[in-house]
Amino acid sequence: MFKSVVPVLAQVPAEVCLGQQHRGMATLKAISIRLKSVKNIQKITQSMKMVSAAKYARAERDLKQARPYGVGAQQFYEKAEVAAKEEEPKKLYIAVTSDRGLCGAVHTGVARHIRGDLAADPNIKVICVGDKSRAILQRLYSKNIEMVCNEVGRLPPTFLDAAKLTNAILNLGYEYTDGKIIYNKFKSVVSYAVADMPIFSLKSVESAEKLPVYDSLDSDVIQNYLEFSMASLLFFAMKEGACSEQSSRMTAMDNASKNAGEMIDKLTLTFNRTRQAVITRELIEIISGASALESKD
Protein backbone atom coordinates (compact mmCIF):
# COMPACT_ATOMS: atom_id res chain seq x y z
CA MET A 1 0.00 0.00 0.00
CA PHE A 2 2.75 2.44 0.98
CA LYS A 3 4.86 1.59 -2.07
CA SER A 4 2.30 3.18 -4.35
CA VAL A 5 1.96 6.26 -2.13
CA VAL A 6 5.67 6.90 -1.49
CA PRO A 7 6.76 7.95 -5.02
CA VAL A 8 3.96 10.55 -5.15
CA LEU A 9 4.69 11.97 -1.69
CA ALA A 10 8.43 12.06 -2.39
CA GLN A 11 7.74 14.69 -5.06
CA VAL A 12 5.70 16.94 -2.69
CA PRO A 13 7.73 19.85 -1.24
CA ALA A 14 8.33 19.79 2.52
CA GLU A 15 6.67 23.22 2.95
CA VAL A 16 3.36 21.83 1.70
CA CYS A 17 3.49 18.90 4.13
CA LEU A 18 4.37 21.24 7.02
CA GLY A 19 1.54 23.58 6.01
CA GLN A 20 -0.95 20.71 6.09
CA GLN A 21 0.36 19.68 9.49
CA HIS A 22 0.03 23.19 10.89
CA ARG A 23 -3.48 23.50 9.48
CA GLY A 24 -4.43 20.19 11.05
CA MET A 25 -3.01 21.22 14.42
CA ALA A 26 -4.75 24.60 14.21
CA THR A 27 -8.05 22.87 13.49
CA LEU A 28 -7.51 20.54 16.43
CA LYS A 29 -6.75 23.46 18.72
CA ALA A 30 -9.86 25.36 17.60
CA ILE A 31 -12.07 22.30 18.13
CA SER A 32 -10.47 21.68 21.53
CA ILE A 33 -11.10 25.29 22.64
CA ARG A 34 -14.72 25.15 21.46
CA LEU A 35 -15.24 21.78 23.16
CA LYS A 36 -13.89 23.13 26.43
CA SER A 37 -16.11 26.22 26.26
CA VAL A 38 -19.23 24.13 25.57
CA LYS A 39 -18.40 21.87 28.54
CA ASN A 40 -18.06 24.95 30.76
CA ILE A 41 -21.40 26.26 29.49
CA GLN A 42 -23.01 22.91 30.27
CA LYS A 43 -21.70 23.06 33.83
CA ILE A 44 -23.15 26.55 34.23
CA THR A 45 -26.57 25.58 32.82
CA GLN A 46 -26.72 22.49 35.03
CA SER A 47 -25.90 24.59 38.09
CA MET A 48 -28.52 27.19 37.13
CA LYS A 49 -31.08 24.40 36.68
CA MET A 50 -30.42 23.13 40.21
CA VAL A 51 -30.63 26.64 41.67
CA SER A 52 -33.86 27.35 39.78
CA ALA A 53 -35.35 24.07 40.98
CA ALA A 54 -34.72 25.06 44.60
CA LYS A 55 -36.10 28.57 44.04
CA TYR A 56 -39.11 27.15 42.20
CA ALA A 57 -40.00 24.90 45.14
CA ARG A 58 -39.98 27.91 47.46
CA ALA A 59 -41.88 30.11 44.99
CA GLU A 60 -44.61 27.47 44.64
CA ARG A 61 -45.04 27.30 48.43
CA ASP A 62 -45.22 31.09 48.67
CA LEU A 63 -47.73 31.26 45.82
CA LYS A 64 -50.23 29.07 47.67
CA GLN A 65 -50.15 31.50 50.58
CA ALA A 66 -50.46 34.58 48.34
CA ARG A 67 -53.41 33.40 46.26
CA PRO A 68 -56.12 34.41 48.77
CA TYR A 69 -54.92 38.03 48.53
CA GLY A 70 -55.49 38.20 44.80
CA VAL A 71 -58.65 36.10 44.68
CA GLY A 72 -60.32 38.10 47.46
CA ALA A 73 -59.58 41.46 45.83
CA GLN A 74 -60.87 40.27 42.47
CA GLN A 75 -64.11 38.98 43.97
CA PHE A 76 -64.92 42.40 45.41
CA TYR A 77 -64.81 43.98 41.94
CA GLU A 78 -66.85 41.11 40.50
CA LYS A 79 -69.55 41.10 43.21
CA ALA A 80 -69.91 44.86 43.15
CA GLU A 81 -69.87 44.86 39.30
CA VAL A 82 -67.39 47.73 39.15
CA ALA A 83 -66.83 49.17 35.67
CA ALA A 84 -65.36 52.34 34.20
CA LYS A 85 -68.19 54.61 33.06
CA GLU A 86 -66.28 57.73 32.09
CA GLU A 87 -66.73 58.97 28.55
CA GLU A 88 -62.98 59.45 28.13
CA PRO A 89 -61.32 56.58 29.98
CA LYS A 90 -57.69 56.86 30.98
CA LYS A 91 -56.22 53.39 31.11
CA LEU A 92 -53.18 52.29 33.07
CA TYR A 93 -51.38 49.00 32.45
CA ILE A 94 -48.94 47.48 34.95
CA ALA A 95 -46.54 44.97 33.39
CA VAL A 96 -45.23 42.55 36.03
CA THR A 97 -41.89 41.07 34.94
CA SER A 98 -38.38 41.09 36.43
CA ASP A 99 -34.80 42.18 35.71
CA ARG A 100 -33.45 38.69 35.04
CA GLY A 101 -33.39 36.72 31.80
CA LEU A 102 -32.50 33.20 30.64
CA CYS A 103 -36.05 32.06 31.32
CA GLY A 104 -37.61 31.53 27.91
CA ALA A 105 -40.43 33.77 26.69
CA VAL A 106 -41.85 34.69 30.10
CA HIS A 107 -41.20 38.43 29.78
CA THR A 108 -41.79 38.53 26.04
CA GLY A 109 -45.34 37.22 26.44
CA VAL A 110 -46.31 40.04 28.83
CA ALA A 111 -44.78 42.69 26.57
CA ARG A 112 -46.45 41.22 23.49
CA HIS A 113 -49.85 41.31 25.20
CA ILE A 114 -49.42 44.99 26.08
CA ARG A 115 -48.00 45.84 22.68
CA GLY A 116 -51.18 44.60 21.00
CA ASP A 117 -53.36 46.90 23.13
CA LEU A 118 -51.02 49.86 22.62
CA ALA A 119 -51.31 49.45 18.86
CA ALA A 120 -55.10 49.75 19.17
CA ASP A 121 -55.10 52.54 21.78
CA PRO A 122 -51.94 54.70 21.86
CA ASN A 123 -53.20 56.67 24.90
CA ILE A 124 -52.63 53.81 27.35
CA LYS A 125 -49.97 54.49 29.98
CA VAL A 126 -47.71 51.67 31.13
CA ILE A 127 -45.82 51.02 34.37
CA CYS A 128 -43.03 48.48 33.92
CA VAL A 129 -42.28 46.35 36.97
CA GLY A 130 -38.92 44.90 35.99
CA ASP A 131 -36.37 46.02 33.46
CA LYS A 132 -37.17 43.32 30.88
CA SER A 133 -40.59 44.72 29.98
CA ARG A 134 -39.12 48.22 29.71
CA ALA A 135 -36.38 47.00 27.35
CA ILE A 136 -38.99 45.44 25.04
CA LEU A 137 -41.62 48.21 25.11
CA GLN A 138 -39.35 51.26 24.90
CA ARG A 139 -38.33 50.48 21.32
CA LEU A 140 -41.72 51.48 19.94
CA TYR A 141 -43.70 52.86 22.88
CA SER A 142 -41.24 54.79 25.02
CA LYS A 143 -43.68 57.71 25.33
CA ASN A 144 -46.30 55.46 26.94
CA ILE A 145 -44.03 54.34 29.80
CA GLU A 146 -44.81 56.35 32.93
CA MET A 147 -42.59 54.59 35.45
CA VAL A 148 -40.07 51.75 35.66
CA CYS A 149 -39.30 49.67 38.76
CA ASN A 150 -35.85 48.04 38.83
CA GLU A 151 -34.19 45.50 41.13
CA VAL A 152 -37.06 43.06 40.71
CA GLY A 153 -36.48 39.30 40.69
CA ARG A 154 -33.24 39.05 42.65
CA LEU A 155 -35.12 38.18 45.85
CA PRO A 156 -38.59 36.66 46.35
CA PRO A 157 -41.25 39.40 46.25
CA THR A 158 -42.87 40.40 49.54
CA PHE A 159 -46.02 42.30 50.46
CA LEU A 160 -43.82 45.21 51.51
CA ASP A 161 -42.49 45.43 47.95
CA ALA A 162 -46.06 45.45 46.61
CA ALA A 163 -47.05 48.15 49.15
CA LYS A 164 -44.12 50.37 48.13
CA LEU A 165 -45.02 49.90 44.46
CA THR A 166 -48.65 50.77 45.17
CA ASN A 167 -47.61 53.93 46.98
CA ALA A 168 -45.40 54.97 44.05
CA ILE A 169 -48.24 54.37 41.56
CA LEU A 170 -50.78 56.35 43.59
CA ASN A 171 -48.35 59.25 44.02
CA LEU A 172 -47.42 59.25 40.35
CA GLY A 173 -49.92 61.99 39.52
CA TYR A 174 -51.64 60.13 36.68
CA GLU A 175 -55.39 59.95 37.34
CA TYR A 176 -56.51 56.76 35.63
CA THR A 177 -60.09 55.51 35.40
CA ASP A 178 -59.33 51.81 35.01
CA GLY A 179 -56.54 49.54 33.95
CA LYS A 180 -55.01 46.10 34.10
CA ILE A 181 -52.23 44.22 35.83
CA ILE A 182 -50.66 41.96 33.21
CA TYR A 183 -48.67 39.05 34.57
CA ASN A 184 -47.81 35.38 33.97
CA LYS A 185 -50.26 33.00 35.61
CA PHE A 186 -48.62 29.81 36.82
CA LYS A 187 -50.30 26.54 35.78
CA SER A 188 -47.72 23.78 36.11
CA VAL A 189 -43.97 23.22 35.96
CA VAL A 190 -44.01 23.36 32.17
CA SER A 191 -47.01 25.61 31.62
CA TYR A 192 -47.94 29.25 32.24
CA ALA A 193 -50.14 31.78 30.50
CA VAL A 194 -50.38 35.56 30.27
CA ALA A 195 -53.32 36.83 32.33
CA ASP A 196 -54.63 40.17 33.57
CA MET A 197 -56.53 41.57 36.55
CA PRO A 198 -58.58 44.76 36.48
CA ILE A 199 -57.92 47.84 38.62
CA PHE A 200 -60.29 50.80 39.04
CA SER A 201 -60.24 54.34 40.34
CA LEU A 202 -62.19 55.65 43.31
CA LYS A 203 -64.89 57.24 41.11
CA SER A 204 -65.45 54.00 39.22
CA VAL A 205 -65.93 52.05 42.47
CA GLU A 206 -68.25 54.66 43.99
CA SER A 207 -70.46 54.57 40.89
CA ALA A 208 -70.86 50.78 40.96
CA GLU A 209 -74.50 49.70 40.99
CA LYS A 210 -74.18 46.94 43.59
CA LEU A 211 -71.87 48.79 45.95
CA PRO A 212 -74.70 49.47 48.49
CA VAL A 213 -74.70 45.74 49.24
CA TYR A 214 -71.63 46.47 51.38
CA ASP A 215 -72.73 48.50 54.40
CA SER A 216 -70.87 51.42 56.00
CA LEU A 217 -68.80 52.37 52.99
CA ASP A 218 -67.79 55.99 52.66
CA SER A 219 -65.12 57.56 50.46
CA ASP A 220 -62.32 57.14 53.01
CA VAL A 221 -63.09 53.46 53.54
CA ILE A 222 -63.27 52.80 49.81
CA GLN A 223 -60.02 54.69 49.21
CA ASN A 224 -58.24 52.71 51.92
CA TYR A 225 -59.58 49.45 50.55
CA LEU A 226 -58.54 50.35 47.00
CA GLU A 227 -55.00 50.96 48.17
CA PHE A 228 -54.95 47.65 50.03
CA SER A 229 -56.57 45.76 47.14
CA MET A 230 -54.05 47.12 44.63
CA ALA A 231 -51.20 46.06 46.91
CA SER A 232 -52.82 42.63 47.26
CA LEU A 233 -53.27 42.25 43.51
CA LEU A 234 -49.69 43.34 42.82
CA PHE A 235 -48.38 40.97 45.50
CA PHE A 236 -50.37 38.11 43.98
CA ALA A 237 -49.24 38.98 40.43
CA MET A 238 -45.58 39.22 41.49
CA LYS A 239 -45.77 35.83 43.20
CA GLU A 240 -47.40 34.27 40.14
CA GLY A 241 -44.77 35.83 37.89
CA ALA A 242 -41.89 34.71 40.12
CA CYS A 243 -43.14 31.11 40.18
CA SER A 244 -43.65 31.09 36.39
CA GLU A 245 -40.21 32.62 35.87
CA GLN A 246 -38.41 30.03 38.00
CA SER A 247 -40.22 27.10 36.38
CA SER A 248 -39.51 28.48 32.92
CA ARG A 249 -35.84 29.08 33.76
CA MET A 250 -35.55 25.54 35.10
CA THR A 251 -37.00 24.16 31.85
CA ALA A 252 -34.83 26.45 29.71
CA MET A 253 -31.64 25.46 31.53
CA ASP A 254 -32.56 21.77 31.23
CA ASN A 255 -33.00 22.15 27.47
CA ALA A 256 -29.75 24.12 27.24
CA SER A 257 -27.88 21.37 29.10
CA LYS A 258 -29.27 18.74 26.74
CA ASN A 259 -28.32 20.81 23.70
CA ALA A 260 -24.83 21.32 25.10
CA GLY A 261 -24.51 17.56 25.63
CA GLU A 262 -25.44 16.90 21.99
CA MET A 263 -22.96 19.53 20.82
CA ILE A 264 -20.23 17.99 23.01
CA ASP A 265 -20.82 14.58 21.42
CA LYS A 266 -20.59 16.05 17.91
CA LEU A 267 -17.47 18.08 18.71
CA THR A 268 -15.81 15.06 20.35
CA LEU A 269 -16.48 12.97 17.24
CA THR A 270 -15.13 15.74 15.00
CA PHE A 271 -12.07 16.12 17.23
CA ASN A 272 -11.31 12.40 17.14
CA ARG A 273 -11.70 12.22 13.37
CA THR A 274 -9.49 15.27 12.84
CA ARG A 275 -6.85 13.91 15.22
CA GLN A 276 -6.89 10.57 13.43
CA ALA A 277 -6.46 12.33 10.09
CA VAL A 278 -3.52 14.35 11.43
CA ILE A 279 -1.83 11.24 12.82
CA THR A 280 -2.34 9.36 9.55
CA ARG A 281 -0.92 12.28 7.59
CA GLU A 282 2.13 12.48 9.86
CA LEU A 283 2.76 8.72 9.48
CA ILE A 284 2.57 9.00 5.72
CA GLU A 285 5.00 11.94 5.75
CA ILE A 286 7.47 10.00 7.97
CA ILE A 287 7.28 6.90 5.79
CA SER A 288 7.59 8.94 2.61
CA GLY A 289 10.64 10.75 3.98
CA ALA A 290 12.30 7.51 5.01
CA SER A 291 11.61 5.99 1.62
CA ALA A 292 13.04 9.08 -0.09
CA LEU A 293 16.24 8.77 1.96
CA GLU A 294 16.51 5.07 1.10
CA SER A 295 16.04 5.80 -2.59
CA LYS A 296 18.91 8.37 -2.50
CA ASP A 297 21.22 5.84 -0.82
Side-chain angles (χ1 to χ4, degrees), residues 60-176:
E60 190 178 15
R61 291 195 304 267
D62 294 344
L63 178 59
K64 292 179 181 179
Q65 300 175 1
R67 271 179 177 160
Y69 289 90
V71 174
Q74 290 182 75
Q75 286 183 351
F76 170 76
Y77 294 129
E78 293 175 0
K79 299 296 182 181
E81 296 184 0
V82 182
K85 297 181 179 180
E86 284 79 359
E87 296 181 356
E88 297 181 358
K90 295 181 179 180
K91 294 185 177 182
L92 178 69
Y93 281 13
I94 303 175
V96 179
T97 56
S98 73
D99 295 350
R100 307 187 67 187
L102 299 176
C103 52
V106 171
H107 308 314
T108 309
V110 174
R112 188 184 298 115
H113 181 86
I114 297 176
R115 219 162 32 185
D117 291 349
L118 287 175
D121 186 3
N123 296 321
I124 298 175
K125 298 298 181 181
V126 181
I127 293 176
C128 298
V129 181
D131 196 59
K132 289 296 180 180
S133 57
R134 177 201 60 81
I136 299 173
L137 293 174
Q138 74 172 359
R139 300 172 187 171
L140 297 175
Y141 303 102
S142 58
K143 296 181 180 179
N144 298 83
I145 299 176
E146 284 288 320
M147 186 177 67
V148 179
C149 301
N150 295 324
E151 300 298 327
V152 180
R154 299 185 182 275
L155 298 174
T158 62
F159 191 84
L160 180 60
D161 298 332
K164 291 180 179 179
L165 178 60
T166 301
N167 187 40
I169 293 173
L170 294 176
N171 295 330
L172 189 61
Y174 180 73
E175 297 181 358
Y176 62 93

Side-chain angles (χ1 to χ4, degrees), residues 63 66-67 69-71 74 94-97 129 157 162 165 180-186 195-197 230-244:
L63 178 59
R67 271 179 177 160
Y69 289 90
V71 174
Q74 290 182 75
I94 303 175
V96 179
T97 56
V129 181
L165 178 60
K180 293 179 182 179
I181 300 175
I182 296 93
Y183 65 103
N184 287 297
K185 186 176 182 61
F186 175 76
D196 59 74
M197 295 181 292
M230 178 178 285
S232 301
L233 291 174
L234 286 174
F235 177 61
F236 170 64
M238 292 169 74
K239 284 294 185 183
E240 288 272 4
C243 192
S244 301

